């Protein structure tokens, strides 16, 4: 699924991308030490079909959980592909009951109706949030900003799925800059296959029946993981020819994370994919090269000598405050850049 199609889904509030159990397991295996004695909330999940609920129920005792709670919005129902809309929001609380076969048995627990519509912002769902220690789910992409804001407000640990473009949101980027949120291990190839109703536009090699391929999805968390403290190995050296400076900011441009020069101590503009390798002990984040999203002090909409290129810069998709470069008389506008500086 392209970003264009993803945006259309957001505009239509089509947020039902059901996560595969395999992808959940691949990410959660890095966080197991965080869950002992904790109450986990999956508050965008119908417990009858959610793979998040299935994962935590099946691993309840292995993880040493205290309690598992799942709530869902009223439009979800038992059959992912049912044409009958469910008008009842539900929840389930599981505390590790065993069945007659000696295995965890959440199926023996009744699914209970909620009084409201199951929206994560509703008072009864907020009460579940207050009770929880950790929130793990795939929240609606169209409500990602509101969802994260609520987690921060109630000071919760979390592991959630979102699109990497969320890094650029004015509500999200300051949290990343202040080390209150970072990326998890992510999906193989930077794309996830989700169980979905929607048409899959993936190429034949990436197509999976009954699923939709969404590129650029990743995991966001505020739980410590080893990856976050691994140094990015650098090997290239700086030359002015290979690393041009921006016309309106004193920083060099780097097109690929692996090309960050090992010997440059000034400000560097890197693609947002850098965040997947970000180590706060190795680099400092100064800002983001998009207008209105916290550029470091000193950026100019246009260098005085380049005002005549303003229309050309805008024609190439930039707005006042975006970073751009000059190659002779040619305007070069790189895709979104994170501004960083080496600490070591």
């Amino acid at each position: 699924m392209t970003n264009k199609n993803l945006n259309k889904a957001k505009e239509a509030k089509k947020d039902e991308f059901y996560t595969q159990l395999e992808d959940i397991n691949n990410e959660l295996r890095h966080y197991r030490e965080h869950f002992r004695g904790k109450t986990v909330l999956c508050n965008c999940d119908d417990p009858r079909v959610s793979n998040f609920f299935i994962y935590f129920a099946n691993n309840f005792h292995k993880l040493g959980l205290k309690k598992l709670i799942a709530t869902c919005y009223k439009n979800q129902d038992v059959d992912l592909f049912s044409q009958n809309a469910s008008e009842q929001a539900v929840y389930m609380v599981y505390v590790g009951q065993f069945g007659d076969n000696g295995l965890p048995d959440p199926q023996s627990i009744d699914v209970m109706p909620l009084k409201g519509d199951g929206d994560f912002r509703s008072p009864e769902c907020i009460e579940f949030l207050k009770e929880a220690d950790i929130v793990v789910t795939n929240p609606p992409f169209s409500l990602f900003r509101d969802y994260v804001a609520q987690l921060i407000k109630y000071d919760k640990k979390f592991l959630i799925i979102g699109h990497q473009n969320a890094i650029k949101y004015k509500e999200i980027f300051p949290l990343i800059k202040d080390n209150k949120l970072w990326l998890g291990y992510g999906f193989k190839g930077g794309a996830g296959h989700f169980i979905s109703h929607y048409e899959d536009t993936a190429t034949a090699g990436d197509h999976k029946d009954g699923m939709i391929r969404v590129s650029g999805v990743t995991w966001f968390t505020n739980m410590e993981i080893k990856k976050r403290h691994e140094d990015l190995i650098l090997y290239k050296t700086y030359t002015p020819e290979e690393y041009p400076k921006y016309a309106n900011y004193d920083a060099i441009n780097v097109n690929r994370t692996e090309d960050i020069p090992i010997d440059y101590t000034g400000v560097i503009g890197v693609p947002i994919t850098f965040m997947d390798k970000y180590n706060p002990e190795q680099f400092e984040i100064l800002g983001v090269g998009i207008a209105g999203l916290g550029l470091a002090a000193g950026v100019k909409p246009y260098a005085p000598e380049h005002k005549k290129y303003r229309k050309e810069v805008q024609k190439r998709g930039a707005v006042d405050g975006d970073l751009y470069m000059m190659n002779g008389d040619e305007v070069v506008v790189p895709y979104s850049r994170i501004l960083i500086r080496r600490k070591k």
Side-chain angles (χ1 to χ4, degrees):
M1 188 181 192
T2 63
N3 287 342
K4 182 179 180 181
N5 288 334
L6 178 61
N7 289 336
K8 287 182 178 179
K10 286 173 60 179
E11 291 169 5
K13 298 297 186 289
K14 293 181 178 181
D15 293 309
E16 294 128 340
F17 297 102
Y18 298 93
T19 312
Q20 293 186 84
L21 189 59
E22 177 185 2
D23 289 330
I24 295 170
N25 182 65
N26 285 342
E27 184 73 20
L28 266 294
R29 64 191 176 91
H30 299 287
Y31 302 78
R32 289 172 182 165
E33 71 275 11
H34 292 284
F35 288 97
R36 184 159 300 279
K38 298 298 195 300
T39 294
V40 173
L41 173 64
C42 305
N43 59 351
C44 298
D45 301 84
D46 188 331
R48 300 165 294 189
V49 296
S50 166
N51 281 328
F52 284 100
F53 186 83
I54 290 171
Y55 173 86
F56 284 112
N58 289 344
N59 292 280
F60 190 95
H61 297 283
K62 184 177 180 179
L63 293 171
L65 295 182
K66 176 182 177 182
K67 184 184 292 188
L68 171 61
I69 306 170
T71 66
C72 82
Y73 192 66
K74 67 180 181 180
N75 288 338
Q76 295 182 3
D77 50 26
V78 174
D79 180 0
L80 291 182
F81 303 99
S82 170
Q83 300 302 308
N84 300 315
S86 171
E87 288 301 320
Q88 181 62 64
V90 298
Y91 75 97
M92 180 187 281
V93 177
Y94 179 59
V95 292
Q97 296 93 326
F98 288 96
D100 294 336
N101 58 1
L103 297 174
D105 186 25
Q107 286 75 22
S108 65
I109 309 302
D110 291 334
V111 176
M112 304 297 293
L114 288 165
K115 295 177 182 178
D117 62 5
D119 189 302
F120 65 86
R121 297 161 294 190
S122 66
E124 59 184 334
C125 287
I126 289 176
E127 288 304 310
F128 284 127
L129 178 64
K130 290 178 179 178
E131 183 181 357
D133 300 297
I134 304 173
V135 179
V136 184
T137 192
N138 182 359
F141 285 0
S142 63
L143 298 173
F144 193 81
R145 295 172 175 86
D146 292 344
Y147 191 83
V148 171
Q150 186 184 79
L151 295 175
I152 298 298
K153 176 181 178 181
Y154 289 97
D155 194 24
K156 297 301 174 181
K157 295 295 183 182
F158 57 85
L159 177 61
I160 60 176
I161 295 174
H163 198 274
Q164 69 176 11
N165 282 339
I167 293 171
K168 302 182 294 182
Y169 295 168
K170 65 181 180 180
E171 301 88 350
I172 303 299
F173 181 76
L175 299 174
I176 294 175
K177 184 174 180 291
D178 294 338
N179 287 307
K180 295 179 180 179
L181 180 155
W182 45 88
L183 300 192
Y185 284 83
F187 292 81
K188 184 179 180 180
H193 287 85
F194 298 88
I195 304 166
S196 175
H197 304 263
Y198 313 124
E199 178 186 359
D200 187 7
T201 59
T203 59
D206 288 330
H207 180 78
K208 294 184 179 181
D209 288 342
M211 295 187 180
I212 189 166
R213 182 184 185 277
V214 184
S215 61
V217 290
T218 189
W219 295 81
F220 292 83
T221 188
N222 61 349
M223 292 187 285
E224 287 293 345
I225 47 178
K226 291 181 180 179
K227 167 193 170 183
R228 176 169 145 79
H229 302 286
E230 295 173 349
D231 276 359
L232 174 63
I233 304 301
L234 307 175
Y235 66 96
K236 298 199 70 169
T237 55
Y238 168 75
T239 65
E241 294 76 22
E242 186 172 0
Y243 299 98
K245 284 195 172 185
Y246 300 112
N248 57 337
Y249 192 74
D250 186 15
I252 63 171
N253 180 68
V254 172
N255 290 321
R256 301 191 307 167
T257 298
E258 56 265 37
D259 291 339
I260 295 173
I262 192 171
D263 57 345
Y264 191 80
T265 58
V267 182
I268 304 170
V270 293
I272 61 173
T273 50
F274 161 83
M275 296 309 307
D276 191 50
K277 305 292 185 182
Y278 172 54
N279 174 352
E281 286 114 35
Q282 186 180 17
F283 294 99
E284 174 187 10
I285 295 178
L286 303 176
V288 60
I290 304 173
L293 290 185
L295 268 170
V299 70
K300 301 174 182 178
Y302 298 93
E305 65 273 24
H306 297 151
K307 284 186 177 180
K308 63 180 179 179
Y309 296 111
R310 179 172 185 172
K311 289 185 178 180
E312 181 66 20
V313 170
Q314 292 174 333
K315 187 169 72 174
R316 294 178 181 269
V319 297
D320 286 4
D322 280 353
L323 295 170
Y324 73 99
M325 298 173 290
M326 298 301 302
N327 182 12
D329 285 340
E330 181 186 359
V331 176
V332 180
V333 181
Y335 189 67
S336 307
R337 289 293 186 258
I338 305 291
L339 294 170
I340 64 169
R341 183 164 46 209
R342 291 180 56 227
K343 286 186 175 180
K344 297 181 182 178

